C-alpha cells in the first residue's frame, strides 16, 4: 500500500472519533508539517517507564533520568549540550520504580528525586549531590502500589510536598520539612484506580489544586480537587474522559489564559481535551483520535503558529504522533507520525542545545528496547547525526 493510500485509510479510521463527516472528502486534504527527525538513541536500564529532565551537575546542560521498572534502577544520562548524552550510569534503587518527581527537597540547590516504588509499596527519596550523583534518603511505606507522583508546595510553607496516587483507590499527601524528609499528610479514598496526579492553580487563588485521572472500569473520569492551601483538598467535580484515562497534563489550547487539560486514554486509541473556565471547572471534554495504544502526551507549540499542539507516544503502533492544534481544543487530521523504537512509554520536551533559541527536542523512554530516543526539531542545525542501537 502506498504512503498516500495508507494515510487516507488512517484518516478515515479517525473520522468517528474526530467528528468528521462525508464533507471532509470534498475539502483539500491536510498535509501536516514535518517538524521533527529521529536523531539518536541511548541505552538505559530495563523497561524504562518515566523520563525527566534536569541539570544534575550544574553545567547548564540538560540531563535525563529514567526509572527502569524491571531492573530496579535509575539511569542517569548527562547531556553534552548538542542533543547527545554520555553513557548512562545505573543507580540501584527500590523495587519496581514506576514513576518519579524531581525537586529540591532539602534546599541545597541540587535536584533531588522522589520515587514511586510500585513493587515495594513505598516512596523512596534520593538526595542529589550536585554532580550527577545521588545518595539514599528516607523511605516511606504506603498502602499500596504507588504509580504516580507530583511535587510542589501544597501548604504554603515554601517546602516541596508530594502527592502520590495509589492503586487501591487512594491519594496520599506527604508534607515536606525542607530537610529532605517528609511527614505524613492527608489521605483520600475516592475514585477508581487512580493512574496519575498533577498539581496546578486552576482558579487563580494562589492555592494549588489537584487533578486525578481514574483509570478503573467504573469511572473513566478526571477528578478535580480544590486546594485549601494547607495541604488538604476538597473534591469539586468529576469530568468524563475517554476509556481508561492514564495521564493528565496542563496547557492552554484556546489561548484564553485558563488552564486546560490533556488526558491520555489507554483504550480505544483516543485522548481528551477539557477547556478550563478559569475557576477550576471545565467544559465537557472533546475526544480526538490517536494512533494505536496512546500512553503519554504533552502539549506545546511545535509549528510556531502560537497554537498548542500535542505530542503522543503510542505503545501498540510504536510511533510518535504530532497533532497540530486548531486553537479550540481540536486538531487537524491526519497527524504527523514518526516511527520509534519498541514500546514508547513516556516522553518530554527539552532544550537540546546551549543556544537557548533552538526549537525543543523530544526525548522518549522506549520501554520495549531499554533506550531513550531523541527527536530533534528541524530548526536545529547539527553537523552529525549519531545513532546508538
Amino acid at each position: 500500500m502506498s504512503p498516500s493510500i495508507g494515510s487516507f485509510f488512517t484518516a478515515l479510521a479517525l473520522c468517528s472519533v474526530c467528528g468528521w463527516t462525508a464533507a471532509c472528502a470534498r475539502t483539500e486534504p491536510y498535509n501536516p508539517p514535518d517538524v521533527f527527525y529521529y536523531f539518536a538513541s541511548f541505552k538505559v536500564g530495563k523497561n524504562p517507564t518515566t523520563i525527566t529532565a534536569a541539570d544534575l551537575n550544574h553545567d547548564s546542560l540538560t540531563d535525563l533520568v529514567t526509572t527502569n521498572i524491571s531492573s530496579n534502577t535509575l539511569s542517569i544520562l548527562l547531556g553534552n549540550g548538542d542533543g547527545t548524552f554520555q553513557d548512562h550510569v545505573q543507580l540501584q534503587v527500590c523495587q519496581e520504580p514506576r514513576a518519579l518527581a524531581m525537586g529540591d527537597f532539602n534546599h541545597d540547590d541540587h535536584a533531588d528525586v522522589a520515587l514511586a516504588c510500585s513493587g515495594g509499596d513505598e516512596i523512596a527519596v534520593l538526595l542529589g549531590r550536585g554532580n550527577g550523583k545521588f545518595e539514599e534518603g528516607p523511605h516511606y511505606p504506603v498502602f499500596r502500589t504507588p504509580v504516580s507522583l507530583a511535587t510542589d508546595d501544597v501548604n504554603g510553607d515554601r517546602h516541596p510536598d508530594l502527592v502520590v496516587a495509589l492503586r487501591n483507590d487512594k491519594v496520599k499527601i506527604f508534607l515536606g520539612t525542607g530537610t529532605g524528609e517528609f511527614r505524613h499528610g492527608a489521605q483520600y479514598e475516592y475514585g477508581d484506580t487512580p493512574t496519575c496526579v498533577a498539581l496546578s492553580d486552576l482558579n487563580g487563588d494562589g492555592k494549588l489544586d489537584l487533578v486525578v485521572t481514574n483509570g478503573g472500569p467504573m469511572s473513566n473520569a478526571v477528578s478535580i480537587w480544590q486546594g485549601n492551601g494547607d495541604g488538604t483538598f476538597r473534591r469539586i467535580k468529576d469530568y468524563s474522559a475517554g476509556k481508561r484515562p492514564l495521564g493528565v497534563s496542563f496547557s492552554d489550547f484556546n489561548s484564553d489564559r485558563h488552564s486546560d487539560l490533556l488526558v491520555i486514554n489507554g483504550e480505544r486509541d483516543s485522548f481528551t481535551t477539557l477547556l478550563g473556565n478559569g475557576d477550576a471547572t471545565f467544559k465537557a471534554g472533546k475526544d480526538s483520535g490517536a494512533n494505536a495504544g496512546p500512553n503519554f502526551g504533552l502539549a506545546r507549540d511545535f509549528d510556531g503558529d502560537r497554537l498548542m499542539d500535542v505530542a503522543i507516544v503510542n505503545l501498540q503502533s510504536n510511533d510518535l504522533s504530532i497533532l497540530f492544534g486548531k486553537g479550540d481544543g481540536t486538531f487537524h487530521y491526519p497527524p504527523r507520525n514518526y516511527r520509534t523504537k519498541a514500546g514508547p512509554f513516556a516522553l518530554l520536551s527539552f532544550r537540546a542545545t546551549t543556544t537557548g533559541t533552538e526549537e525543543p527536542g523530544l526525548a522518549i523512554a522506549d520501554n520495549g528496547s531499554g533506550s531513550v530516543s531523541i527527536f530533534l526539531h528541524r530548526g536545529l542545525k547539527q553537523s552529525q547525526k549519531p545513532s546508538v542501537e
Side-chain angles (χ1 to χ4, degrees):
M1 182 180 292
S2 70
S4 60
I5 294 175
S7 299
F8 174 74
F9 282 110
T10 299
L12 287 181
L14 292 168
C15 286
S16 61
V17 178
C18 307
W20 287 10
T21 67
C24 295
R26 295 193 295 269
T27 64
E28 188 71 21
Y30 175 71
N31 183 28
D34 184 11
V35 292
F36 286 101
Y37 64 93
Y38 170 76
F39 180 66
S41 292
F42 303 91
K43 280 297 182 183
V44 294
K46 190 174 181 180
N47 298 124
T49 53
T50 56
I51 184 167
T52 303
D55 180 7
L56 300 178
N57 56 356
H58 300 290
D59 62 357
S60 299
L61 306 178
T62 300
D63 309 312
L64 301 177
V65 181
T66 65
T67 55
N68 309 312
I69 195 168
S70 295
S71 56
N72 300 324
T73 62
L74 294 187
S75 285
I76 312 296
L77 299 95
L78 298 180
N80 296 318
D82 60 357
T84 68
F85 296 84
Q86 299 174 30
D87 290 344
H88 76 117
V89 175
Q90 282 200 83
L91 178 62
Q92 201 72 30
V93 290
C94 55
Q95 187 176 353
E96 296 181 9
R98 174 63 178 81
L100 68 82
M102 190 168 286
D104 183 6
F105 301 138
N106 57 358
H107 298 296
D108 64 356
D109 295 324
H110 304 325
D112 307 314
V113 169
L115 293 169
C117 307
S118 59
D121 294 335
E122 63 177 357
I123 304 300
V125 177
L126 303 175
L127 300 176
R129 297 177 180 174
N131 58 0
K133 299 180 180 179
F134 293 85
E135 62 185 44
E136 187 173 3
H139 291 230
Y140 301 95
V142 292
F143 184 78
R144 63 181 168 82
T145 316
V147 294
S148 177
L149 283 169
T151 183
D152 210 324
D153 177 13
V154 300
N155 63 349
D157 64 357
R158 300 185 180 180
H159 303 319
D161 308 309
L162 296 174
V163 180
V164 186
L166 305 173
R167 273 290 165 84
N168 61 339
D169 303 342
K170 293 181 176 63
V171 172
K172 172 72 176 176
I173 314 297
F174 287 92
L175 299 176
T177 64
T179 65
E181 297 182 343
F182 295 84
R183 56 189 176 88
H184 289 272
Q187 181 167 286
Y188 301 95
E189 184 168 2
Y190 177 81
D192 183 15
T193 315
T195 52
C196 183
V197 288
L199 292 165
S200 183
D201 181 2
L202 299 175
N203 57 359
D205 64 356
K207 302 171 184 177
L208 288 171
D209 306 307
L210 173 64
V211 181
V212 184
T213 52
N214 299 287
M218 302 301 293
S219 179
N220 296 315
V222 180
S223 298
I224 308 300
W225 296 71
Q226 186 170 337
N228 297 315
D230 59 358
T232 65
F233 298 86
R234 61 186 184 277
R235 186 177 65 86
I236 301 177
K237 189 175 179 180
D238 292 354
Y239 294 88
S240 295
K243 187 74 171 178
R244 200 167 71 87
L246 296 177
V248 62
S249 57
F250 303 103
S251 187
D252 181 5
F253 291 110
N254 57 351
S255 305
D256 64 355
R257 300 185 180 181
H258 301 323
S259 289
D260 305 321
L261 302 182
L262 170 65
V263 182
I264 305 301
N265 302 312
E267 295 182 7
R268 298 182 182 172
D269 303 337
S270 74
F271 65 98
T272 305
T273 53
L274 295 95
L275 300 181
N277 298 315
D279 58 358
T281 67
F282 294 85
K283 298 176 176 63
K286 301 177 181 179
D287 286 356
S288 300
N291 228 347
N295 197 70
F296 193 97
L298 59 85
R300 185 155 181 164
D301 177 13
F302 294 120
D303 59 353
D305 64 357
R306 299 185 181 181
L307 302 177
M308 286 294 118
D309 311 311
V310 170
I312 297 177
V313 286
N314 305 291
L315 266 174
Q316 295 176 19
S317 51
N318 291 319
D319 59 10
L320 163 69
S321 296
I322 309 295
L323 298 102
F324 296 94
K326 295 182 178 180
D328 60 357
T330 65
F331 301 87
H332 296 284
Y333 280 85
R336 175 68 66 175
N337 294 321
Y338 300 90
R339 193 69 179 172
T340 66
K341 291 188 176 295
F345 205 86
L347 83 159
L348 58 80
S349 175
F350 75 104
R351 185 167 62 91
T353 71
T354 58
T355 65
T357 60
E358 305 279 9
E359 292 299 323
L362 295 176
I364 299 174
D366 306 310
N367 184 269
S369 60
S371 63
V372 166
S373 292
I374 305 299
F375 283 77
L376 294 183
H377 200 281
R378 291 197 180 275
L380 295 175
K381 304 300 182 183
Q382 300 289 344
S383 59
Q384 296 179 339
K385 296 182 181 180
S387 180
V388 179
E389 297 299 331

